Amino acid sequence: VQLQASGGGVVQSGGSLRLSCAASGFALDYHVIGWFRLASGEKREGVACISSTDGSTLYKDSVRGRFTISRDNANNTVYLQMNSLKPEDTAVYFCATGTIATIDPWGYDLWGQGTQVTVSS
């Protein structure tokens, strides 16, 4: 049972990346999925989450309108499309499963290995 985040990389300011969160050993569609990030010297913070029931989403204020979280249950994957990236989005991004739709990291239990996103100015 594990999660694996991928899709990170180096991109210029204003560019886009799509992160993937793939699950193995269990079905993602029964879980709330959240994306989080950890920047150097900062606390881990929630970026977005998607519910397990109606697909409703929540976003951190600073990414709303630029980032989109979505599910592909057929492929057991959750995506985070990141557009109009800014240098302050630079961080290691993680996905995690939870039971409550919140971007508070304390609501999540199973965490995947992170993927580095670097946005150059």
Side-chain angles (χ1 to χ4, degrees):
V1 174
Q2 64 178 0
L3 292 172
Q4 179 65 56
S6 63
V10 180
V11 63
Q12 288 189 329
S13 182
S16 298
L17 285 172
R18 188 178 77 160
L19 305 184
S20 299
C21 176
S24 58
F26 70 103
L28 275 180
D29 49 348
Y30 297 111
H31 299 269
V32 173
I33 304 299
W35 280 98
F36 303 86
R37 65 189 183 187
L38 180 62
S40 178
E42 302 291 332
K43 295 189 303 182
R44 182 177 51 181
E45 62 179 7
V47 174
C49 73
I50 186 165
S51 75
S52 58
T53 53
D54 60 2
S56 58
T57 56
L58 291 173
Y59 294 95
K60 177 179 171 61
D61 286 347
S62 64
V63 308
R64 188 176 296 113
R66 300 188 297 122
F67 291 9
T68 303
I69 187 171
S70 62
R71 287 181 178 272
D72 181 350
N73 290 336
N75 288 308
N76 212 24
T77 302
V78 170
Y79 301 102
L80 184 69
Q81 177 66 44
M82 305 187 298
N83 298 328
S84 302
L85 282 162
K86 305 175 180 181
E88 51 263 42
D89 295 317
T90 295
V92 178
Y93 283 71
F94 302 85
C95 59
T97 63
T99 55
I100 300 172
T102 174
I103 57 172
D104 184 339
W106 297 109
Y108 292 78
D109 43 24
L110 177 66
W111 291 79
Q113 188 175 359
T115 185
Q116 176 71 48
V117 171
T118 302
V119 184
S120 61
S121 57

